[in-house]
Amino acid sequence: MAKLRFTALEELLNREPKKSEGTRMPSSDYYGEMVFDRPKMKKYLSPEAFVHVMESIEKGTRIDRKMADQIALGMKAWAMENGASHYTHWFHPLTDGTAEKHDAFLTFGEFGTMVESFSGSLLVQQEPDASSFPSGGIRNTFEARGYTAWDVSSPAFIIGSTLCIPTIFVSYTGHALDYKFPLLKALHAVDKAAVDVCQYFDKNVTKVNSNLGWEQEYFLIDEALYHARPDLMLTGRTLMGHSSAKDQQLDDHYFGSIPTRVIAFMEDFEKEAYRLGIPVKTRHNEVAPNQFEVAPIFEETNLANDHNQLIMDVMKRVARQHKFRILFHEKPFKGVNGSGKHNNWSLSTNTGVNLLSPGKNPKGNLQFLTFLVNVLKAVHDNQDVLLGSIMSASNAHRLGANEAPPSIISIFLGSQISAMLDELETRVPDKKMTPDEKTALKLDIGKIPEILLDNTDRNRTSPFAFTGNRFEFRAVGSAANCASAMISLNTAMAGQLKEFKKEVDALIDKGVKKDEAIFQMIKEYIKQSKNIRFDGDGYSQDWVEEAARRGLSNISSVPQAIKTYLSPKSKNLFVDNGVFTDVEIEARTEVEMEKFTKKIQIESRVLGDLALNHIVPTAVQYMNTLIENVQGLKDVFGENSDYQDLAGDRLDLIKKISFHIKNIKNKTHDMVEARKVANKLEDMTEMAEMYEQKVFPYLDDIRYHIDKLELTVDNAIWPLPKYRELLFAR
């Protein structure tokens, strides 16, 4: 392995940067050229079919079969003109990736001739084999039938020679087997609930969109070094190795000059993104060496999520062309910052108003306060399920590691907004407000834009931070499907807005004026959600202790976080808002437990193999060299004082190496036995808990003894030394 390592380094140092295949054309000239967007629909569809599609996108109406055939013909004509020979239903199964099955347009025509054909039935629905996708027990492996159904709201696109049609994925019984279907239902729920509340302020509001802007962090390493690390290839992270002398201590990589090879890679994947209609906007170096970030212009949440899943795939493919491998694992290297996928979330109306941005008058600002305070209440009341939505085996390494928010859900508002809410709490009386009190309060509310100007600083230690006109859900992991967090957040907001509307209407029915009823509920929610507000250092131990005093949850166990979905409160939230059924909640919990278990299982098997088949033999080889040296000294000097003085340190070293080899072997054996016991458990939750409590700790124990060996064994023959110095070489 040592030879392989040095060969990889030699290959890297001789690597010539691949020139970007960029174009001198303005990006806007080819933006969306591979997307069947509205202008192309208008060109390739009949006026009747175009109107039908627009109504389906904007109002959620069904596409009838006659129109579907017309749409399919137009879509096929456009796709074939752009080189497509196949089509696929593109969906998001519960694997955290995407899935596709390609079929050719080619089929038999009249008299045995071959023709290209694509019907409305093939566009609207297909039946892929669902047997090997995670289902959490919704269906048996021998029951393979599953259906994909066209998501009209997300435009079709072309990758290579294949027309890709975004779809939902459901079982034969109609249960969701993907992320997109429940996301669409959550977005529908928050749309309806938010419109009902907006009616208090503007009768013209008929639709509210959830918006998402993701910030995708990632690592790049040279493919030669990647192939030299079996643990990196198989688990996405390095399971052993020590820090290099210099990594991120000086913060000199952050926002620094982008390396030549990396900028060429960025330019190429950005070009592909623009052709696919993905509005990437920002690129920069991140904190850790060889860590970077890409971020887009914000879009409607469903489309934004599709674009995030798509760009991750594009980045992987383009990285290979540049002899890179891209790492989306949340913590691929111990000791340096990991990667997140910050989800910037907001709500906006069909009238062009951002509901989380201050308005231009007292009424607009009261609407802003209404939605702001309802977000506080929604997060406060659903903190556990929000944590469960972002917890995973890989993200657990990152959360709370002095680089990412802890597993305590809190909200950062900034001192000015917090002070404003505290003042509202005291100024809104419990009794009926006088006209003067109401007028004074409305006048002060009118000053909100001035109060907020330049007073919404960011807090990188907060998992959920207000940043001026949106909330940034910072705890989402870089490898995750954004839909998981967005399903929980939008459902929580929908449930909260429904409750707000119910309580305000009840006050109005008692004779309280509308504005005063809204003020009363805002005051009550400010009081009830106060504990979730925290503007300080979320990394500090003081906050952990303070959060406990406030009664906030701090769930660091992944299985425990996942189990929060099963609480009666969480189930009621999802079921009452039509997002999940009881069966789907149970199934998804089972899937997440299984994914967690299998990831730990793979890591333990990889580390066991490396320890016994690579580390121990190398250590034994070096120990034998030491023994030969000691024996040689004894032959030369005998057992006199010179011998004891010269050989003493090597004798101690032999003892230390023997001690660590013994522990590596014993602990690897014990880890395997613990895995066998866990694997016999039939309940997936119990198995996941057993893996976390009994199997996972052995990874740290074995790594400890490997690290100790590394400090004693000559680096010249050691298989995995100084991994970070190699991985971060440019």
Side-chain angles (χ1 to χ4, degrees), residues 464-617:
F464 202 85
F466 183 67
T467 56
N469 59 5
R470 63 190 183 276
F471 280 93
E472 184 180 17
F473 197 178
R474 293 180 53 83
V476 182
S478 56
N481 188 313
C482 297
S484 179
M486 290 295 101
I487 290 167
S488 292
L489 178 56
N490 283 288
T491 306
M493 190 61 179
Q496 176 53 46
L497 289 173
K498 285 167 63 176
E499 186 64 24
F500 175 80
K501 176 86 165 47
K502 177 182 174 182
E503 294 188 287
V504 169
D505 285 350
L507 289 175
I508 293 173
D509 290 343
K510 293 178 181 179
V512 180
K513 295 292 185 181
K514 181 183 70 176
D515 286 356
E516 189 168 340
I518 292 172
F519 276 128
Q520 290 287 354
M521 291 317 306
I522 287 177
K523 172 184 177 177
E524 187 60 29
Y525 288 171
I526 290 172
K527 289 165 58 177
Q528 293 176 10
S529 63
K530 186 174 291 187
N531 284 343
I532 205 73
R533 287 157 44 193
F534 178 65
D535 292 349
D537 183 1
Y539 296 165
S540 70
Q541 181 60 33
D542 289 344
W543 168 232
V544 175
E545 297 166 3
E546 171 64 20
R549 287 192 291 270
R550 294 187 185 191
L552 300 181
S553 297
N554 183 7
I555 305 173
S556 57
S557 161
V558 177
Q560 290 300 314
I562 295 170
K563 280 168 65 174
T564 60
Y565 277 90
L566 299 177
S567 72
K569 181 179 177 181
S570 296
K571 281 190 172 184
N572 289 339
L573 172 71
F574 289 116
V575 173
D576 290 350
N577 286 284
V579 175
F580 289 128
T581 63
D582 274 333
V583 171
E584 288 171 333
I585 294 172
E586 297 277 353
R588 277 163 195 271
T589 303
E590 181 95 352
V591 168
E592 290 304 316
M593 293 292 185
E594 186 176 10
K595 285 195 292 191
F596 170 79
T597 300
K598 288 183 175 179
K599 286 180 179 179
I600 302 302
Q601 183 184 83
I602 292 169
E603 288 188 357
S604 68
R605 293 177 68 179
V606 169
L607 183 60
D609 174 66
L610 288 174
L612 296 182
N613 297 321
H614 298 278
I615 304 301
V616 168

Side-chain angles (χ1 to χ4, degrees), residues 197-432:
V197 172
C198 284
Q199 290 293 301
Y200 289 138
F201 307 98
D202 185 356
K203 298 295 183 182
N204 294 316
V205 174
T206 57
K207 184 168 181 58
V208 171
N209 281 324
S210 166
N211 305 307
L212 170 64
W214 40 264
E215 302 171 28
Q216 181 70 60
E217 295 176 340
Y218 60 95
F219 282 86
L220 285 175
I221 67 168
D222 187 272
E223 66 176 19
L225 298 172
Y226 176 82
H227 290 141
R229 293 297 305 234
D231 49 354
L232 198 57
M233 292 174 63
L234 295 173
T235 72
R237 74 183 183 108
T238 51
L239 297 175
M240 64 186 76
H242 68 73
S243 300
S244 66
K246 179 183 180 295
D247 41 57
Q248 68 182 51
Q249 304 100 310
L250 300 178
D251 295 324
D252 52 346
H253 187 256
Y254 191 49
F255 278 33
S257 176
I258 301 175
T260 303
R261 282 184 67 194
V262 176
I263 198 68
F265 156 74
M266 289 177 169
E267 288 172 353
D268 280 353
F269 88 70
E270 285 175 356
K271 179 187 175 185
E272 290 300 309
Y274 292 146
R275 297 180 73 212
L276 291 166
I278 306 173
V280 291
K281 180 78 170 178
T282 302
R283 64 190 184 205
H284 64 82
N285 289 6
E286 256 300 334
V287 176
N290 275 27
Q291 185 188 32
F292 308 93
E293 180 180 298
V294 57
I297 300 171
F298 297 0
E299 299 178 285
E300 184 274 327
T301 296
N302 178 49
L303 180 59
N305 190 56
D306 279 357
H307 281 167
N308 180 248
Q309 289 295 293
L310 182 55
I311 202 168
M312 290 171 74
D313 184 59
V314 169
M315 291 168 75
K316 289 176 184 177
R317 288 189 286 104
V318 175
R320 289 173 179 266
Q321 296 169 13
H322 288 260
K323 304 299 182 181
F324 280 128
R325 289 295 183 271
I326 193 165
L327 305 179
F328 290 119
H329 192 290
E330 284 81 0
K331 192 75 171 177
F333 309 114
K334 186 178 180 180
V336 297
N337 276 21
S339 298
K341 177 150 48 191
H342 308 157
N343 279 203
N344 293 276
W345 169 82
S346 63
L347 297 171
S348 61
T349 70
N350 61 296
T351 59
V353 174
N354 181 344
L355 295 171
L356 294 177
S357 184
K360 298 178 181 179
N361 52 50
K363 179 186 282 191
N365 288 324
L366 180 57
Q367 179 175 263
F368 159 70
L369 282 173
T370 295
F371 280 88
L372 179 77
V373 173
N374 272 281
V375 172
L376 298 180
K377 186 69 161 54
V379 174
H380 177 273
D381 291 355
N382 299 282
Q383 54 189 284
D384 287 353
V385 78
L386 288 174
L387 176 64
S389 74
I390 54 92
M391 260 297 200
S392 66
S394 51
N395 203 26
H397 292 291
R398 167 180 164 263
L399 295 180
N402 286 333
E403 58 173 281
S407 53
I408 304 169
I409 298 294
S410 64
I411 294 180
F412 166 82
L413 289 179
S415 58
Q416 295 294 330
I417 304 178
S418 290
M420 180 181 66
L421 295 184
D422 291 340
E423 185 180 353
L424 270 175
E425 182 185 348
T426 59
R427 289 184 61 184
V428 175
D430 294 328
K431 59 180 181 16
K432 181 177 175 62

Side-chain angles (χ1 to χ4, degrees), residues 538-703:
Y539 296 165
S540 70
Q541 181 60 33
D542 289 344
W543 168 232
V544 175
E545 297 166 3
E546 171 64 20
R549 287 192 291 270
R550 294 187 185 191
L552 300 181
S553 297
N554 183 7
I555 305 173
S556 57
S557 161
V558 177
Q560 290 300 314
I562 295 170
K563 280 168 65 174
T564 60
Y565 277 90
L566 299 177
S567 72
K569 181 179 177 181
S570 296
K571 281 190 172 184
N572 289 339
L573 172 71
F574 289 116
V575 173
D576 290 350
N577 286 284
V579 175
F580 289 128
T581 63
D582 274 333
V583 171
E584 288 171 333
I585 294 172
E586 297 277 353
R588 277 163 195 271
T589 303
E590 181 95 352
V591 168
E592 290 304 316
M593 293 292 185
E594 186 176 10
K595 285 195 292 191
F596 170 79
T597 300
K598 288 183 175 179
K599 286 180 179 179
I600 302 302
Q601 183 184 83
I602 292 169
E603 288 188 357
S604 68
R605 293 177 68 179
V606 169
L607 183 60
D609 174 66
L610 288 174
L612 296 182
N613 297 321
H614 298 278
I615 304 301
V616 168
T618 301
V620 169
Q621 178 185 347
Y622 183 64
M623 185 170 64
N624 289 337
T625 300
L626 291 174
I627 291 171
E628 292 176 8
N629 180 264
V630 169
Q631 186 62 49
L633 290 172
K634 184 178 181 181
D635 292 343
V636 172
F637 294 100
E639 295 191 10
N640 58 27
S641 58
D642 287 339
Y643 165 73
Q644 295 294 335
D645 182 53
L646 293 172
D649 62 333
R650 267 149 282 193
L651 289 169
D652 288 340
L653 199 52
I654 291 169
K655 291 178 182 178
K656 288 179 181 178
I657 292 173
S658 298
F659 172 78
H660 292 305
I661 288 175
K662 176 184 176 183
N663 274 281
I664 289 172
K665 287 183 173 181
N666 289 342
K667 290 183 181 297
T668 300
H669 173 269
D670 293 343
M671 179 176 68
V672 172
E673 293 304 309
R675 210 165 58 222
K676 290 178 180 178
V677 173
N679 290 343
K680 291 180 180 179
L681 297 173
E682 294 184 3
D683 184 271
M684 186 54 67
T685 298
E686 292 180 2
M687 187 186 296
E689 291 173 340
M690 176 72 80
Y691 262 88
E692 182 177 62
Q693 296 166 12
K694 300 296 184 181
V695 178
F696 185 77
Y698 282 115
L699 294 176
D700 284 335
D701 289 345
I702 295 169
R703 184 161 41 232

